Amino acid sequence: MTTPARAFAKSLGLEIKFTNLSLAARIPSLVSQKVDIIISGLGITAERAKSVQFSAPYLETKMYVIAGKDKKIASPDDLAGVAVGVPRSSTIDTLLTAASPKATDIRRFDDDASNIQSLMSGQVEAIGANQFYSDRLSTIQPGVYENKFSIGSTWYGAATRPGEKDWNEAFNSFIFKFRTTKEFADIYKTWVKSDVPRFPNDVDGVSFPKP
């Protein structure tokens, strides 16, 4: 099945080249021209919009705190004194840090895989997670972990360098059309396991052109 990134490249008649980067390295790699556009894993925030230009969103993900089923964690207050892992510089990091008591022991890891491993190895008692973590954990250790409570959601958009209107406008033109197709609906149902949401015209004070 295709992805928005592959479909975008196809719409331009270009061959796509993927570069694997840690979350913390994505914006620096874009700004330094090591990559041309980021179309994966970058939540739209006002702080990031100071460094990059975001497209209209194409994905919403829910964020949770996950821990073992035997752990009595039901709200942010229960995280006081608890070691909690998050992916460094991620939206999960931002949301969990804002919601947690000062006494929470927040430990930051380089990526999602390291964050998940920190929970499974016992380095932390809980982790901040997006909605896709549960599937990964249930595949590795079925019935051991569960979502304890929600810490919010985030919208994802493609990021381009400020002032590079061509890339941003090209992706917006593409995504406005692609979001209305059955192909996109099928992708969304497969990967996000929900229907396509109603996309906003602004996120966290960051505005986008309307379709």
Side-chain angles (χ1 to χ4, degrees):
M1 181 175 287
T2 191
T3 64
R6 293 185 187 279
F8 175 55
K10 183 179 179 180
S11 74
L12 297 176
L14 298 175
E15 181 179 346
I16 193 167
K17 179 181 178 182
F18 292 104
T19 302
N20 291 320
L21 298 166
S22 68
L23 182 57
R26 288 174 192 175
I27 289 178
S29 295
L30 177 67
V31 173
S32 64
Q33 301 188 10
K34 292 180 180 178
V35 297
D36 294 310
I37 187 170
I38 301 171
I39 318 180
S40 175
L42 200 65
I44 299 168
T45 67
E47 184 62 29
R48 288 174 178 160
K50 296 176 183 178
S51 302
V52 302
Q53 184 175 212
F54 280 107
S55 73
Y58 60 86
L59 172 67
E60 180 189 26
T61 60
K62 311 294 185 182
M63 306 295 180
Y64 301 93
V65 165
I66 292 179
K69 290 186 175 181
D70 59 331
K71 297 291 183 182
K72 294 182 178 179
I73 298 173
S75 72
D77 290 342
D78 296 326
L79 296 180
V82 175
V84 185
V86 294
R88 182 181 290 107
S89 301
S90 66
T91 308
I92 297 170
D93 186 351
T94 301
L95 290 172
L96 188 78
T97 300
S100 302
K102 290 183 179 180
T104 305
D105 180 10
I106 298 177
R107 302 183 184 181
R108 294 173 172 85
F109 299 92
D110 287 340
D111 50 36
D112 292 323
S114 300
N115 193 35
I116 290 172
Q117 185 60 39
S118 73
L119 178 63
M120 295 176 59
S121 65
Q123 290 177 263
V124 298
E125 299 171 72
I127 53 174
N130 62 42
Q131 65 194 63
F132 305 110
Y133 277 41
S134 294
D135 287 343
R136 294 168 71 175
L137 284 165
S138 63
T139 297
I140 300 169
Q141 294 186 342
V144 176
Y145 304 100
E146 65 182 4
N147 293 339
K148 295 297 186 179
F149 60 89
S150 172
I151 55 173
S153 65
T154 190
W155 294 92
Y156 291 87
T160 55
R161 285 180 284 273
E164 289 193 350
K165 293 177 62 178
D166 289 351
W167 275 115
N168 189 264
E169 290 178 356
F171 190 84
N172 277 329
S173 178
F174 158 77
I175 203 62
F176 287 146
K177 295 177 182 177
F178 194 57
R179 290 188 323 198
T180 65
T181 64
K182 183 180 183 301
E183 183 179 15
F184 182 75
D186 290 343
I187 292 172
Y188 216 90
K189 181 69 75 173
T190 298
W191 294 106
V192 188
K193 296 181 173 59
S194 71
D195 293 330
V196 175
R198 182 176 180 178
F199 291 100
N201 290 322
D202 62 86
V203 175
D204 194 23
V206 181
S207 299
F208 321 103
K210 295 181 180 181

